[in-house]
Amino acid sequence: MTGSALAQDRSDWPENFTVGTASQGGTYFAYGSGWANFIAENLGVSGGAEITGGPVQNMALVHTGDLRFGLVTMGPASEAVNGKSPLMPGMKMDNVCAMFPMYQTPFSITVLADSGITSISEIPDGARIGFGPAGSTSDSYFPRMMETLGVDFERRNGSWSDLGGQLQDGLIDVVAFAAGIPIPAVSQLEVQSSINIIEFNEQELSAVTDAFPVSPFSIPASTYQSLSDDSQAVSMWNFATANCDLPESFVYEITKLTMENNEKMVSIHKAAQTSIPENYVNNTVLPWHPGAARWFTENGYSIEPDMIK
């Protein structure tokens, strides 16, 4: 436990906390549970992760204070802040504050190798595509991307682990994953089956980056055994968020602990290699929690005053 965390007044700190993650078999759950345990052990506050429907639901639960923390992707966060959340249309979720950058979520497509599908244009009409849990980042954006690319499909939902199993059993044809890499469900799949990870070609890349809040992203060949070369995908940034009413000193200590111990974070999940302070610039959507902003500014990262709650 850090000295400063022990020495300060904790009278307004909560006795416990919960982090909203997403479905099992996905990166949010693995990252969020490990991070919650790390914070709980070091700050002496009881805490854990909760399985949720993902970023859309996490924004709502953190806004209302039902959850103290939530992991979110910038697309759904932007919609929620602007009152366009599919869960609560018209309600501006302005009580959710940014805490620190996590990683980028690549959008990637997986099929069984024996399907013969090697490109997006080869996905047959009426293909049954699994888009992850209902309301997840993947489910919010991937179907719209596929429509933009002219793919005709039947939409299926489920946890990543379930969809991996359904792909293996021939119950669906394609899984359109959006999760931090390596995705536990894909790593599991390739141990048991021969799979193709389908990339976006230049034209497809340009069409989706023009239409959606995503940017080009290359999945390194080392991520999966099935890749011999880097795979071209698109991605969206993820941030950890806090309810804006949480005490400044509490959020400061959590931000400090997370940002100053990247090696520990990477041991929780490899995706945390980009959970580093420099990536704070990728939040252009949410106000910063004053506690988080204090740590960033003390360490030489400038945040505009109007971006701090």
Side-chain angles (χ1 to χ4, degrees):
M1 196 180 296
T2 58
S4 64
L6 272 176
Q8 64 184 239
D9 174 17
R10 296 162 150 242
S11 56
D12 58 352
W13 283 27
E15 285 177 15
N16 53 55
F17 68 89
T18 308
V19 180
T21 60
S23 79
Q24 280 178 301
T27 307
Y28 266 22
F29 185 71
Y31 186 111
S33 351
W35 175 67
N37 294 339
F38 173 51
I39 296 304
E41 281 165 21
N42 282 274
L43 294 185
V45 179
S46 162
E50 186 167 308
I51 294 172
T52 67
V56 175
Q57 193 181 9
N58 292 343
M59 281 295 293
L61 293 169
V62 173
H63 172 74
T64 56
D66 290 310
L67 290 178
R68 301 197 195 277
F69 303 110
L71 310 183
V72 308
T73 320
M74 282 309 170
S78 171
E79 290 184 349
V81 168
N82 291 307
K84 294 178 180 166
S85 168
L87 278 186
M88 297 180 181
M91 176 190 272
K92 293 193 173 186
M93 298 184 192
D94 53 6
N95 207 32
V96 181
C97 281
M99 202 162 39
F100 62 84
M102 292 167 54
Y103 56 82
Q104 295 178 74
T105 289
F107 286 70
S108 63
I109 298 162
T110 303
V111 295
L112 294 181
D114 62 15
S115 68
I117 300 169
T118 60
S119 67
I120 294 175
S121 59
E122 289 174 2
I123 296 174
D125 283 356
R128 298 158 300 175
I129 302 183
F131 289 106
S136 63
T137 299
S138 184
D139 186 50
S140 306
Y141 287 91
F142 231 149
R144 283 147 58 187
M145 287 183 192
M146 291 299 216
E147 284 162 5
T148 301
L149 299 176
V151 179
D152 173 75
F153 56 86
E154 274 183 39
R155 184 175 187 154
R156 300 291 168 85
N157 292 106
S159 75
W160 294 127
S161 331
D162 287 349
L163 292 172
Q166 288 182 40
L167 185 69
Q168 262 187 309
D169 298 341
L171 299 173
I172 57 176
D173 307 295
V174 179
V175 184
F177 286 100
I181 52 176
I183 301 164
V186 177
S187 304
Q188 180 67 33
L189 251 179
E190 65 177 359
V191 169
Q192 298 163 334
S193 311
S194 180
I195 62 172
N196 291 342
I197 293 169
I198 310 289
E199 61 180 355
F200 290 76
N201 65 27
E202 286 307 314
Q203 203 179 346
E204 291 158 349
L205 196 63
S206 141
V208 295
T209 51
D210 283 353
F212 302 97
V214 292
S215 44
F217 181 88
S218 189
I219 298 175
S222 57
T223 311
Y224 300 114
Q225 296 161 6
S226 309
L227 288 177
S228 49
D229 299 301
D230 295 353
S231 177
Q232 183 61 63
V234 293
S235 73
M236 200 180 269
W237 267 94
N238 298 273
F239 270 69
T241 67
N243 176 277
C244 297
D245 300 329
L246 283 172
E248 182 182 325
S249 62
F250 181 51
V251 175
Y252 173 84
E253 290 299 337
I254 290 177
T255 307
K256 176 181 167 69
L257 193 61
T258 311
M259 291 289 93
E260 294 180 9
N261 290 284
N262 186 251
E263 214 169 281
K264 171 64 184 170
M265 291 300 293
V266 173
S267 75
I268 290 167
H269 197 288
K270 276 188 196 164
Q273 283 166 343
T274 54
S275 300
I276 54 174
E278 291 79 353
N279 286 326
Y280 84 109
V281 294
N282 295 295
N283 167 36
T284 54
V285 170
L286 295 167
W288 286 91
H289 191 286
R294 175 155 71 92
W295 184 87
F296 280 97
T297 50
E298 278 178 4
N299 288 279
Y301 302 95
S302 69
I303 295 176
E304 294 298 321
D306 65 351
M307 278 293 282
I308 301 172
K309 187 74 176 179

